[in-house]
Amino acid sequence: MIKLSNIRVQGFRLLEDAEIAVESGSTVIVGRNNSGKTSLTEIFEKFLGESAGQFRLEDFSGALRTKFTEAKHLYDEGRSQPVDILKALPSITLELVFNYADHVGDLGPLSPFIIDLDPACTTSIVRIVYSASLATFENLLDIPTPLVEQSRAEEKSESVALFRHLRDAIANAYSIQVFAVDPTDGDNVRKFDNTSALAQLIQTGFVKAQRTLDVTTRRDPDVIGKLLSQLFKTASHLEASQEDKDIVAQLKTSVSKLEGAVQGGFDTQLKGLLPALNIFGFPSLNDTDLMPHTSIDAEDLLTGNTKILYTGADGVHLPEGYNGLGTRNLIYILLQLETLHKSYRATPTRPISHIVFIEEPEAHLHPQMQEVFIAKLNEAVSELSKKFPGEPAWQVQFIVSTHSSHLANAAQFDAIRYFLSVPSDTAGFRRTKVKDFRKGADTITKEDRKFLQQYMTLTKCDLYFADKAILVEGATERILMPRIIEMIDKGAEESAKLGSQYITTMEIGGAYAQKFFPLIEYLELKSLIITDIDAVYLKEKRYQKCLCAKGERTSNSALKSWFNDKEISIAQLLAKTPDEKTRAFYRIAYQTPEDGSLHCARSYEDALILANLDHFEIDDDADAAANAWDKAEGFGKSEEAIRFALMEEEWAIPKYISDGLAWLALPPPPAAAPQEVPQAEKEVA
């Protein structure tokens, strides 16, 4: 079995240098908006799809575009060798790693790419590069005089003229080159004269997000019906299944009969529409007469005239546009997969690897259908392969990009690839950092992975897509959090308002918060964990809950885990500094006394009361904490949360929560100080 196991992209948009491990079945790409997910699909399309070679200046990673100006300086100085100038220019690289079983005899199209001499090596590396050559690089760096003069007239630098020139020059100076790389010796490289060997090795397919299904026009959209012509084409190939060939033959016979009928009567009538040319002396004795001839092509008939209808019980069949968008999208995806599968089967020299990208399959699908889709995707391969019983199963690997928490959480943990946008080393630009849940996240134990997988599947949490996260212990905090954020934002600057950021709030309970610590750290997701101090004291050989003033230690497992102390005391917890409560990307918050008060609450409910004594008719005296605790024990948590969220106008947020949210509102920890970028580069970006 030969499989694509790893992808490395360099120099393409946000994928400045990104590695992605590929599952043998389905790999799921998740991440926030503008994190580079679409770029992964598009680099395959530009190297291996119908858009092969159609790169633009903007496709080069922002941080690498400075290389154009560096190469220009070397070229203008005139002291550097052409080879050195060529090396200074940026390039875009797609590197594919294939694994093959050592017992495989005939490696077919992969054989030309295996150049190592190590019998124990079962890896092959294919490098595809979009770069300039010695014969063309001067066309990139020799700026036409009119562009230089225009920039001077506009008081712009020559760098601006260079980038204006590059927009058109890149297409003529750059080309795709294919190499085989020795996995045991990176200096051992074989260059191919063309891309034909690559085309035989790997085939790509793309199922794009279907946003055209809901286009509102006067005519019904026939997006699904148009796919029938593609299915007809693949069914007409010599390599198609016998069943498909029989259907095509029957279609052509039907069309032939129709064509004969048309030519028998329709053409005779059509002749009457021809102009009376005889008045001009045509035809003469030496001229032939004119005669209409109508031909009907089955493929053209399918392309422009065939529609999909949904059968009705009363004989009234509904047009394609009359069904729900979700159903139509699912049908569209399945037909696309069928088309790609048959196209793969119809290829004379069947490629070793078939990679199919599915973009946002969740469009218009309800949550349960999304979960079923990702779970059944690999089963669809087996089902489609049944039409070819004498042949191997469809050798396909799916790469699915999604914004759906339902779909992402239904996928296996190891199949997740989390794309994170981080600052590049060059100021003003960003790059994609890939988190591989199979070979990374090794700080998460197997037991915790199982828990997190089940929890996230059940709760449909948005950790993969949020800008920041708030993890709370109970329903009261979760219900009140939107109101609290609204109150916090009233006095904040626009850039620091939490309501303007995509923040997910998760109810996780006090006993399980620590299981999320390694995941949050791995995702580099700025998060606030709000939990209870849970004071207890020893009574009759058992620890029982009590007021903080009486408490000896905490029963909260998250706090014990955070400070790595199973017997940490209440006094020690109250003495902890903000720095001790903060790690790189996340912070823990628990009850502390309000400003000017000596009382400390045990849970969120009595903390809310202590911060708002007048709302509960409690005096601010020595018994305030005890009275608040008694009051909290007596009211329903959700009822009080709703009261404060909807009915009370003026009330105070407990200090430990307001302090934590103030920290959360700040930007994430900065990366290493980047270098400054020339002004011309910023204009291009």
Side-chain angles (χ1 to χ4, degrees), residues 48 66 106 123 129 149 172 241 257 338 345 408 643 655:
L48 300 164
T66 55
D106 181 14
T123 299
V129 183
E149 292 177 349
N172 297 321
S241 68
K257 290 178 180 178
E338 174 76 356
R345 296 285 184 186
R643 169 192 160 192
K655 183 178 185 301

Side-chain angles (χ1 to χ4, degrees), residues 234-255:
T234 54
S236 302
H237 283 84
L238 292 174
E239 292 77 11
S241 68
Q242 190 58 49
E243 181 183 349
D244 284 350
K245 290 178 181 178
D246 293 341
I247 293 173
V248 168
Q250 292 170 17
L251 282 171
K252 288 183 176 179
T253 299
S254 299
V255 171

Side-chain angles (χ1 to χ4, degrees), residues 323-343:
N323 215 327
L325 293 175
T327 301
R328 290 161 62 197
N329 188 35
L330 187 59
I331 294 171
Y332 176 83
I333 292 172
L334 293 175
L335 282 174
Q336 282 276 62
L337 292 179
E338 174 76 356
T339 303
L340 292 169
H341 173 235
K342 289 185 174 180
S343 175

Side-chain angles (χ1 to χ4, degrees), residues 133-145:
S133 66
L134 285 171
T136 61
F137 81 89
E138 290 188 1
N139 298 331
L140 284 170
L141 305 176
D142 192 6
I143 309 173
T145 302

Side-chain angles (χ1 to χ4, degrees), residues 413 437 444 452 456 463 516-523:
F413 222 53
F437 275 59
I444 306 177
L452 291 169
M456 294 170 76
L463 281 183
F516 286 85
F517 294 169
L519 177 61
I520 291 170
E521 189 167 334
Y522 184 67
L523 295 178

Side-chain angles (χ1 to χ4, degrees), residues 283-313:
S284 65
L285 292 175
N286 297 320
D287 294 322
T288 58
D289 201 358
L290 296 179
M291 173 185 170
H293 180 81
T294 303
S295 62
I296 302 174
D297 182 83
E299 185 178 323
D300 291 341
L301 189 66
L302 284 169
T303 301
N305 304 284
T306 305
K307 303 177 185 297
I308 293 289
L309 298 178
Y310 301 99
T311 57

Side-chain angles (χ1 to χ4, degrees), residues 388-455:
F388 299 83
E391 299 185 26
W394 184 15
Q395 299 300 307
V396 64
Q397 292 170 267
F398 295 106
I399 297 180
V400 183
S401 62
T402 181
H403 291 104
S404 165
S405 59
H406 298 275
L407 196 151
N409 292 326
Q412 289 300 310
F413 222 53
D414 287 345
I416 297 292
R417 306 293 178 265
Y418 177 72
F419 278 32
L420 176 67
S421 176
V422 299
S424 174
D425 292 338
T426 304
F429 299 109
R430 300 188 70 81
R431 64 178 179 86
T432 297
K433 188 175 184 179
V434 179
K435 301 283 190 173
D436 183 340
F437 275 59
R438 176 174 289 280
K439 62 182 181 181
D442 50 8
T443 57
I444 306 177
T445 65
K446 185 177 180 180
E447 180 184 346
D448 285 352
R449 280 192 181 212
K450 183 178 179 181
F451 168 84
L452 291 169
Q453 175 88 56
Q454 293 175 337
Y455 182 90

